[in-house]
Amino acid sequence: MIRPYTTLFILLLTGFSISAQQLVIGKATLEKTNKRIYTISKSDGISKTIDLDSEHKNNIKGILAVLFEDCGDLRDDIFATEYFDEKTLTAYTHSYNNCDYSNYAPTKKELNKVNAKKIDGLKFFAGLDFGMKNISFFDDSRTEVLNQFGATIGLMATPGFLGSLQGNLYFSFQATVSFGGEKTFKYAPQSTSFSANTSRLMLGSEYYFNKNGKIQPFLGIGFGLTSDSYKGNVDNAPFKINGGDPIWTPKIGLLYAINSSNNLGITFSYIPEYTNDLRFPDDDTIIPLIVKSSYYNVALNFYF
């Protein structure tokens, strides 16, 4: 005579198991196949097994979201859940079986999550510059203009973490090199002529209005460093000197959208006055030369 527990022992050894326990029956059926293992089967033939001990909670959320894709409100609850157990799986399966089904469409919460993870927007630009370098000497308030022509390259970015400001607020970095021909200055205290070449590195920010429009006006400000290279003579004494200073500049402009990825822009900027001490030795004499400069600048840039 074979005892009942002997039969059970034989079944376990031969790989047989007790039939699964059905917890919910309907369009979606929930079965418990082991202590912490559950299977959800749908009437359309889709079936998924969930092991609560080995599956990460995010994987469980993904499995349930796929199974219950035609019940949008339930998906929102699933993604908000931080702990899954038999009670949770049972409740969600019951809710699904009593849902007002519809074709899959992202819910408002899902769309908000997508929008909250916007990728950073990045544009490169290059262009031409025309600058009017206003020059005065020492404490003389009279200025003379040295024209400069140059080129600019740079990039601008609008990070995703800005939320609704993305596309309005940009941060920029640019490098500019400008060249000016030699000029004789009539307001200099001595007979003076020189050429001036300028290079700048600038960090800035701009705010663009009408970000979805064809024409986008903007306001901005920049901070950086300028380096001026002077070559000329004072009272027939030749010199070649470099001078550098920190600068800042307000700017205003317009951006025109050529297409979805390319833009054409014009920028007007002003660099307030800064001073270069260009004194230099000539034989045994130190020749003083204090040059004060300010800029009005126009740039035409192509953004890509």
Side-chain angles (χ1 to χ4, degrees), residues 26 37 45 61 69 87 110 119 133 162 187 194 206 275:
I37 300 176
K61 291 179 182 182
E69 65 175 359
K87 182 179 179 181
E110 289 170 338
I119 61 173
K133 184 179 176 73
L162 292 175
Y187 294 141
F194 57 75
E206 296 86 38
T275 301

Side-chain angles (χ1 to χ4, degrees), residues 130-134 145-148 294-298:
F130 170 69
M132 294 184 294
K133 184 179 176 73
N134 300 304
V145 174
L146 175 65
N147 293 328
Q148 291 184 315
S294 62
Y295 275 91
Y296 291 98
N297 201 71
V298 180

Side-chain angles (χ1 to χ4, degrees), residues 228-242:
D228 295 305
S229 177
Y230 297 90
K231 182 180 180 181
N233 63 83
V234 176
D235 281 343
N236 295 319
F239 69 91
K240 184 177 181 180
I241 303 175
N242 294 325

Side-chain angles (χ1 to χ4, degrees), residues 138 185-193 234-235 287-289:
F138 299 94
F185 297 92
K186 62 182 180 180
Y187 294 141
Q190 301 111 329
S191 174
T192 301
S193 66
V234 176
D235 281 343
I287 298 178
L289 182 62

Side-chain angles (χ1 to χ4, degrees), residues 49-182:
T49 297
I50 299 172
D51 186 339
L52 293 179
D53 288 329
S54 62
E55 292 280 5
H56 189 275
K57 66 179 180 181
N58 289 335
N59 293 339
I60 298 175
K61 291 179 182 182
I63 291 171
L64 295 178
V66 171
L67 286 171
F68 303 148
E69 65 175 359
D70 50 350
C71 188
D73 292 339
L74 183 55
R75 292 201 313 274
D76 285 340
D77 291 338
I78 290 169
F79 283 117
T81 301
E82 293 301 318
Y83 177 75
F84 291 90
D85 57 12
E86 181 177 302
K87 182 179 179 181
T88 309
L89 295 179
T90 301
Y92 284 154
T93 307
H94 274 304
S95 296
Y96 177 74
N97 288 337
N98 293 284
C99 182
D100 293 327
Y101 307 107
S102 61
N103 292 329
Y104 173 77
T107 67
K108 184 176 181 180
K109 288 184 179 179
E110 289 170 338
L111 288 174
N112 288 338
K113 286 183 179 180
V114 171
N115 291 333
K117 297 181 180 179
K118 289 182 179 178
I119 61 173
D120 297 342
L122 184 68
K123 286 182 178 291
F124 295 90
F125 62 90
L128 301 175
D129 284 62
F130 170 69
M132 294 184 294
K133 184 179 176 73
N134 300 304
I135 294 176
S136 61
F137 299 91
F138 299 94
D139 293 325
D140 195 335
S141 61
R142 296 174 297 177
T143 61
E144 298 180 65
V145 174
L146 175 65
N147 293 328
Q148 291 184 315
F149 298 88
T152 295
I153 58 171
L155 59 88
M156 52 190 288
T158 178
F161 65 75
L162 292 175
S164 61
L165 285 177
Q166 187 178 31
N168 290 115
L169 183 61
Y170 280 82
F171 302 99
S172 62
F173 170 78
Q174 69 180 63
T176 303
V177 179
S178 300
F179 305 92
E182 187 166 356

